[in-house]
Amino acid sequence: MFAWQLAWRYFRAGGVQTILTLSGVAVGVTVYIFVSSLIDGLQVSLIDRVIGNISQVTIEPLERDPKPIETPNGKTLAQILRSGLRESKMADWKQVMAAVDVEPDVVAVSPIVTVSGFAIKGQQTKPITFRGIDPVRYSRILDLEGRLKEGVYDVSGQRCLIGIELAKDLGVGVGGIIRTRSAKNVELTYSVAGIFDAGVAEVNARSFYVSIPNAQRAGDLVGYISAIETKISRVFDANKVADKLAAKTGLKVDSWMRQNKEFLTGLQGQSGSSNMIKTFVMVSVAFGIASVLAVTVVQRSREIGILKSMGARTSQIIWIFVLLGLMVGLIGSTVGVAVGSGLSLSVGGTPDDYRLGKAIFPILITPTLIAQAVMTSVVMGVLAAIAPARRATRVNPVEVIRYG
């Protein structure tokens, strides 16, 4: 209680000096909150727009290349020519899905059939990729229903879903009729049930969502699928989950991290720059607190000498300045969190608001971020107080009382 009382007295008696110190801490925490919430919001928004539109871990069949026919004397009777139209297909996909469904890291599993082809409307012919989906399961991979601009989420019968770019190119709207031809030369006609905006131009221009049976018919894949797409609980664990599923299924399993190495490098660089900014901001806060406390030691040297001559222990003197640093860090960080959060929310909105065009910047403020800011400030305040506290303990009571 002695140390607390004296620390509180020094804190109140600081006047303008205390206000400037608290302002420095508050500004540092404000910058910490604003920069962190902005970068984290941009990262979440970027991951949602890019990784949210693709399978995070994809299971594909193992394709064995055919071998040329040779006679016993080594003469080649046939040569393998690649056409580029070869479609991968998986026969035992229901058993594989059942095995993947029970994995704790996997939150969504959906079969998919992909077939190349063309969409034809009048004189317009556009290359497309048929994507045969189970609408209920696939909605957990990509929320197409939430991205619809027009129409309804329905691929039953001869209905299809197309992107806004493809709809614009073909000049077709909801209810319009599109004739298609697959790479297997299978022609089918569809009615447009909905038009979506996936947020990626390539997806909007080429993806043509239909039912699994229709995609199987188009690709001559009746009874087969092309791949199994999954979504996992932690996107940055994709490599680990992919390796685990590969060992379990014996099939080819790939992750978004291996397929998008440049994008992953960009995310890592973004996180690294954010961490550097946070570090420099909090180090500057620590130096500010340390410098002010050092001045306080000089100003209070005579009082410290008197206290020591009256029997104050070294540990009590140290605690006075440690608690002073704790007060500065805690009060300054509380003000900084309030100002930083208010500033962030005034210039931006949530990632969902940003995706819908309701905010200029995506802002992500979490309890974890606030706790980090407060705890970092408090720890920095305490650590910054150690050096001045040690200096205070070296005060010679006789000399300081006599000479000041």
Side-chain angles (χ1 to χ4, degrees):
M1 289 302 299
F2 170 75
W4 268 110
Q5 290 172 356
L6 206 56
W8 178 242
R9 182 178 297 177
Y10 284 170
F11 180 81
R12 288 184 303 169
V16 176
Q17 181 175 294
T18 299
I19 294 174
L20 291 176
T21 306
L22 291 176
S23 299
V25 175
V27 169
V29 174
T30 298
V31 174
Y32 185 97
I33 292 289
F34 180 77
V35 172
S36 299
S37 62
L38 179 58
I39 292 179
D40 292 347
L42 285 171
Q43 192 171 81
V44 167
S45 178
L46 194 60
I47 290 174
D48 178 64
R49 293 184 64 181
V50 179
I51 308 306
N53 291 323
I54 63 175
S55 170
Q56 294 164 5
V57 175
T58 305
I59 305 171
E60 299 175 330
L62 289 174
E63 294 290 350
R64 294 178 174 83
D65 291 328
K67 296 181 179 179
I69 302 174
E70 296 181 353
T71 62
N73 61 5
K75 183 178 179 181
T76 300
L77 299 180
Q79 184 179 2
I80 304 300
L81 299 178
R82 300 186 182 278
S83 67
L85 299 178
R86 177 177 164 200
E87 303 283 356
S88 62
K89 57 185 182 180
M90 184 186 302
D92 56 345
W93 57 277
K94 292 183 179 179
Q95 293 87 337
V96 175
M97 280 187 57
V100 176
D101 259 331
V102 299
E103 286 295 321
D105 297 317
V106 178
V107 297
V109 183
S110 178
I112 192 163
V113 180
T114 56
V115 180
S116 300
F118 297 92
I120 305 166
K121 181 69 174 177
Q123 300 298 316
Q124 295 290 329
T125 301
K126 295 294 179 180
I128 60 172
T129 299
F130 292 95
R131 296 180 67 83
I133 60 172
D134 177 331
V136 176
R137 283 185 171 271
Y138 193 74
S139 64
R140 303 187 189 116
I141 303 291
L142 174 60
D143 183 20
L144 272 181
E145 186 173 11
R147 298 170 185 265
L148 286 178
K149 294 298 183 182
E150 299 178 52
V152 294
Y153 182 63
D154 185 10
V155 293
S156 61
Q158 292 304 116
R159 297 178 180 85
C160 67
L161 301 172
I162 63 174
I164 55 174
E165 297 292 337
L166 183 59
K168 180 180 178 181
D169 292 340
L170 295 177
V172 66
V174 173
I177 304 299
I178 299 177
R179 186 162 56 93
T180 66
R181 182 186 300 116
S182 72
K184 298 292 184 178
N185 207 32
V186 176
E187 294 194 7
L188 294 169
T189 301
Y190 294 94
S191 170
V192 178
I195 300 174
F196 62 84
D197 180 7
V200 179
E202 181 68 15
V203 176
N204 290 336
R206 300 205 51 166
S207 293
F208 195 92
Y209 289 92
V210 297
S211 65
I212 287 180
N214 277 334
Q216 290 172 329
R217 288 168 58 195
D220 193 18
L221 295 170
V222 176
Y224 298 92
I225 66 168
S226 303
I228 295 174
E229 297 188 344
T230 70
K231 183 168 281 189
I232 59 178
S233 54
R234 294 181 294 274
V235 294
F236 290 105
D237 286 346
N239 286 344
K240 182 177 70 175
V241 175
D243 293 341
K244 184 179 180 180
L245 293 180
K248 183 174 185 177
T249 62
L251 299 173
K252 178 184 176 183
V253 184
D254 210 350
S255 71
W256 75 266
M257 296 174 71
R258 291 171 181 152
Q259 294 173 336
N260 300 271
K261 292 182 178 179
E262 292 184 359
F263 177 69
L264 181 61
T265 301
L267 288 178
Q268 292 171 338
Q270 188 182 56
S271 298
S273 62
S274 174
N275 291 333
M276 287 183 63
I277 292 172
K278 293 177 186 178
T279 300
F280 284 126
V281 168
M282 298 318 293
V283 167
S284 65
V285 168
F287 277 119
I289 295 174
S291 62
V292 171
L293 293 181
V295 172
T296 302
V297 170
V298 174
Q299 293 175 337
R300 305 290 180 177
S301 295
R302 186 182 295 272
E303 296 176 21
I304 294 170
I306 294 173
L307 289 171
K308 293 187 72 174
S309 67
M310 294 174 63
R313 296 187 302 274
T314 299
S315 60
Q316 291 177 315
I317 302 299
I318 292 177
W319 269 109
I320 290 172
F321 291 95
V322 169
L323 293 174
L324 193 55
L326 177 64
M327 291 178 189
V328 171
L330 186 59
I331 297 174
S333 63
T334 302
V335 175
V337 165
V339 176
S341 300
L343 179 62
S344 299
L345 294 175
S346 68
V347 300
T350 65
D352 288 338
D353 290 338
Y354 176 74
R355 180 170 60 84
L356 296 173
K358 297 179 181 179
I360 302 176
F361 300 108
I363 297 296
L364 184 64
I365 301 175
T366 63
T368 301
L369 175 62
I370 293 174
Q372 285 177 346
V374 174
M375 289 302 298
T376 303
S377 298
V378 170
V379 170
M380 287 294 186
V382 171
L383 293 178
I386 290 177
R390 288 171 59 86
R391 178 178 177 180
T393 61
R394 292 195 293 268
V395 170
N396 187 312
V398 176
E399 292 184 1
V400 78
I401 293 174
R402 176 179 295 177
Y403 302 110

